[in-house]
Amino acid sequence: MLDGLTATLVAHRFYVLGQSKIEIAADFGISRFKVARLIDAALSQGLVRVEFAPPAPVDVRLSDELRSAYGLRQAFVLNRAASTGPRPQVRRQIGAFAAQLLSETVTEDDVVGLSWARSVNAMAAAVRRLPKCPIVQLCGVQAGMDMRDRSVETVRHVAEVSGGDAYPIYGPLVLPDRRTTEILRRQPGIAETFAQFPRLTKAVVSIGAWLPGESTVYDAVSPAEREAITARGARAEVAARLFDGEGKPLSTGLAHHVLAIDTAELLKVPEVIALGYTAPKAEAIDAVLRSGLVSTLITDTPAAEGALRLRQG
């Protein structure tokens, strides 16, 4: 009983009062190793219960499992309750979480890149504060969806929140041919943005699956090109750059007629935060995580569970 009472007092000082093990040892006249054993005993006997109250609806266990399986710096998985509902609702949850993470991690020394995607637009809409730093658009926009999602304004909005310089790309994501792409890339405004790519320290991107309705470019290319790319083994897309099922970058004709950061430059960005969610994207998420591109993933429960099955299988 004495050990139990002592363990309670020791644990209270350690967890509640914030005293160090050395300070507690001196007060009780015991060694710090004994203090450590008493704290462990308090936990194992249920005298102390450690509870987490995350500021967002995160599945901590699944997040850590995903991080460990792919060797990520961080992984955040929305819990099952937050992952349930219409896709726009889940997208807003993913975007809000990404906005919070960006606000907590960006510094004035950063140069932040944003790809075009609805989830990234949702993140931009949720950003409330950022240190002053440049905000760089990583790729053009899909014209047919732009008016609804206001993606042309995404970079400028985030830059206004930050107070830093904005480097937008006012041009379509997919262009008709290589010559048009080269002409646009030489335009002063677009050329200035492309010149920022080597300076990037952080990037927020979306993971797309090479499937109808699951990619920013799949539905924007011709059926013939789409079939050719599918035959090459495309499984995932990030900022209009393609990856096969093993996470290897794919070189296809698409690379020559999109306005976007190239794969080599993207892979050099020190910290890439990727947003990918819903079960249909599990295979794409698995592929992109295998590539080594991503340092932090924000996803939902169905996508995380699907990716882990692929990783473990």
Side-chain angles (χ1 to χ4, degrees), residues 11 27 36 64 87 101 111 139 181 200 209 237 266 277 291 296 303-304 306:
D27 287 347
D64 194 57
R87 179 174 286 206
L101 181 64
V111 178
C139 56
T181 305
L200 293 169
E237 174 255 322
L266 195 54
Y277 57 101
S291 74
T296 297

Side-chain angles (χ1 to χ4, degrees), residues 3-310:
D3 275 354
L5 292 174
T6 304
T8 300
L9 294 174
V10 166
H12 181 267
R13 292 194 178 205
F14 182 74
Y15 287 109
V16 178
L17 301 182
Q19 290 186 334
S20 70
K21 292 175 184 177
I22 294 175
E23 291 172 328
I24 297 169
D27 287 347
F28 280 80
I30 57 179
S31 72
R32 61 187 178 88
F33 302 104
K34 174 69 170 176
V35 170
R37 287 196 295 272
L38 287 169
I39 291 171
D40 288 342
L43 284 169
S44 63
Q45 294 172 23
L47 302 174
V48 171
R49 291 190 299 274
V50 178
E51 296 182 354
F52 293 93
V58 176
D59 185 323
V60 176
R61 180 198 61 78
L62 190 55
S63 297
D64 194 57
E65 189 176 351
L66 196 65
R67 180 202 59 76
S68 178
Y70 287 98
L72 300 172
R73 189 179 305 165
Q74 298 179 102
F76 301 98
V77 181
L78 293 182
N79 63 28
R80 197 169 301 279
S83 301
T84 302
R87 179 174 286 206
Q89 178 179 315
V90 176
R91 183 188 305 131
R92 285 193 295 272
Q93 293 261 27
I94 294 283
F97 196 100
Q100 181 178 342
L101 181 64
L102 209 63
S103 297
E104 292 176 358
T105 58
V106 168
T107 72
E108 291 184 352
D109 296 325
D110 281 315
V111 178
V112 179
L114 304 179
S115 74
W116 183 86
R118 286 174 172 170
S119 57
V120 178
N121 295 344
M123 180 213 72
V127 169
R128 296 292 178 264
R129 61 179 179 84
L130 278 180
K132 186 175 182 179
C133 64
I135 308 297
V136 183
Q137 191 167 335
L138 301 182
C139 56
V141 299
Q142 195 194 102
M145 301 165 72
D146 181 55
M147 289 303 293
R148 182 171 60 230
D149 288 319
R150 301 179 60 82
S151 54
V152 164
E153 300 302 323
T154 294
V155 167
R156 289 204 177 277
H157 169 71
V158 177
E160 285 175 2
V161 172
S162 164
D165 293 330
Y167 294 92
I169 297 176
Y170 284 107
L173 176 61
V174 181
L175 294 158
D177 52 52
R178 183 171 190 162
R179 182 172 180 275
T180 305
T181 305
E182 290 174 351
I183 290 171
L184 278 180
R185 285 189 60 165
R186 290 195 294 268
Q187 295 299 308
I190 294 175
E192 184 181 21
T193 296
F194 272 66
Q196 304 306 311
F197 293 161
R199 301 178 56 225
L200 293 169
T201 59
K202 286 183 172 66
V204 183
V205 301
S206 174
I207 298 175
W210 193 245
L211 295 168
E214 302 292 346
S215 161
T216 55
V217 294
Y218 182 94
D219 296 316
V221 299
S222 69
E225 184 172 15
R226 190 184 307 147
E227 291 172 11
I229 292 171
T230 302
R232 293 285 302 277
R235 292 293 181 272
E237 174 255 322
V238 175
R241 301 307 177 185
L242 304 177
F243 297 84
D244 68 13
E246 297 299 317
K248 297 175 183 176
L250 279 179
S251 179
T252 69
L254 178 65
H256 303 301
H257 64 104
V258 292
L259 274 179
I261 185 172
D262 66 38
T263 307
E265 288 174 313
L266 195 54
L267 286 165
K268 289 178 182 177
V269 179
E271 185 173 356
V272 175
I273 301 168
L275 317 181
Y277 57 101
T278 71
K281 288 188 178 179
E283 185 179 9
I285 291 169
D286 172 67
V288 173
L289 295 186
R290 289 174 187 266
S291 74
L293 167 69
V294 175
S295 51
T296 297
L297 175 70
I298 301 175
T299 187
D300 64 357
T301 295
E305 291 177 338
L308 282 170
R309 283 193 294 271
L310 290 166

